[in-house]
Amino acid sequence: MKGMEDMKAGMEGKERRWYCVRTQTRREGIAGKILKERGFEVFGPQMRFRKKTVRGPVWFQEALFPGYVFAHFDRRHEWRGVGYAPGVRGLVHFGEQTPDIPEEFIQDLRRDLGVDETAVIEDLPRPGEEVTICEGRLQGLRVRVTNVMSATRRVQVLLEMLGRTIELEFDARAVSTDDRHPLERRRG
């Protein structure tokens, strides 16, 4: 039981703080997972966004801060467990100074990102912009955006049909700001 008492005594004197940990390129997830397995609290926020590809718009997910994660540890006593973890390159430092990250910053960022710790970046069209309808029976038609309701991620567009102008509402994901017709995008 002496070993357990020594371990508890060692934990009492620790001053855990948040630090910005530099990771190897595109290895934020691996470094974060290993640090968690070693018992450290890790925060590696993500961003989710759509990119136009040959197949049309596709969702991608990447680190919000590429090449970095935040880890909560006592730098004096636990640095080796962090610094020598696979995927880790070191701590962010400025000369001899290694700044800690304020707890409030991490908490605010976590609150803003939500439970899944992911920021969703949506490229919504702007009023007056021409877009192409990508889904449904009107797929391929070019229309002009009249209004964007960002809270509901919907757009209103003007459609000129049979000599009259009609205003329609679409989910923002159903329109594309790409200049080419959706079928042309697939070809090349």
Side-chain angles (χ1 to χ4, degrees), residues 82-94:
V82 174
Y84 295 107
V88 171
R89 295 184 73 195
L91 286 180
V92 171
H93 61 90
F94 304 99

Side-chain angles (χ1 to χ4, degrees), residues 21 25 55 66 124 126 139 146 150 161 163 172 179 182:
V21 177
T25 305
R55 301 177 310 218
L124 297 173
R126 291 179 294 282
Q139 181 176 358
T146 58
S150 59
M161 193 171 197
D179 290 339

Side-chain angles (χ1 to χ4, degrees), residues 2-187:
K2 177 129 173 72
M4 286 295 275
E5 290 172 10
D6 289 343
M7 191 183 332
K8 284 182 183 176
M11 292 298 283
E12 288 174 9
K14 294 194 178 178
E15 291 184 37
R16 289 191 163 195
R17 296 185 179 187
W18 285 99
Y19 293 95
C20 188
V21 177
R22 234 172 10 129
T23 67
Q24 294 171 349
T25 305
R26 297 199 173 272
R27 309 259 324 207
E28 304 89 2
I30 292 167
K33 181 180 177 195
I34 291 169
L35 291 173
K36 283 180 185 176
E37 288 171 357
R38 292 184 176 189
F40 300 110
E41 186 178 357
V42 176
F43 178 50
Q46 301 282 304
M47 70 174 167
R48 194 165 179 263
F49 58 95
R50 279 192 328 177
K51 267 189 188 175
K52 292 176 180 70
T53 67
V54 180
R55 301 177 310 218
V58 175
W59 284 98
F60 289 87
Q61 188 156 330
E62 293 179 1
L64 186 59
F65 303 107
Y68 302 94
V69 295
F70 300 105
H72 194 241
F73 64 97
D74 183 326
R75 199 177 73 150
R76 288 180 299 179
H77 299 104
E78 299 174 313
W79 163 241
R80 287 181 167 229
V82 174
Y84 295 107
V88 171
R89 295 184 73 195
L91 286 180
V92 171
H93 61 90
F94 304 99
E96 298 289 318
Q97 298 287 4
T98 304
D100 58 291
I101 309 298
E103 178 78 30
E104 299 79 34
F105 174 80
I106 299 294
Q107 295 309 319
D108 288 348
L109 196 52
R110 279 187 159 158
R111 186 187 63 246
D112 291 345
L113 295 177
V115 176
D116 60 353
E117 298 182 347
T118 302
V120 178
I121 315 290
E122 293 206 49
D123 188 20
L124 297 173
R126 291 179 294 282
E129 189 171 8
E130 270 201 11
V131 296
T132 303
I133 300 172
C134 300
E135 299 175 356
R137 294 191 172 144
L138 300 176
Q139 181 176 358
L141 287 177
R142 296 286 293 166
V143 292
R144 186 164 309 280
V145 175
T146 58
N147 190 18
V148 177
M149 290 86 58
S150 59
T152 59
R153 293 188 197 97
R154 298 190 66 77
V155 295
Q156 287 179 336
V157 298
L158 283 180
L159 173 67
E160 292 189 22
M161 193 171 197
L162 301 172
R164 67 184 254 221
T165 303
I166 304 169
E167 192 165 51
L168 301 172
E169 194 173 296
F170 287 92
D171 186 302
R173 293 173 290 199
V175 299
S176 172
T177 57
D178 195 337
D179 290 339
R180 295 182 290 162
H181 184 284
L183 295 176
E184 291 175 27
R185 278 186 273 147
R186 288 190 201 129
R187 283 189 233 128

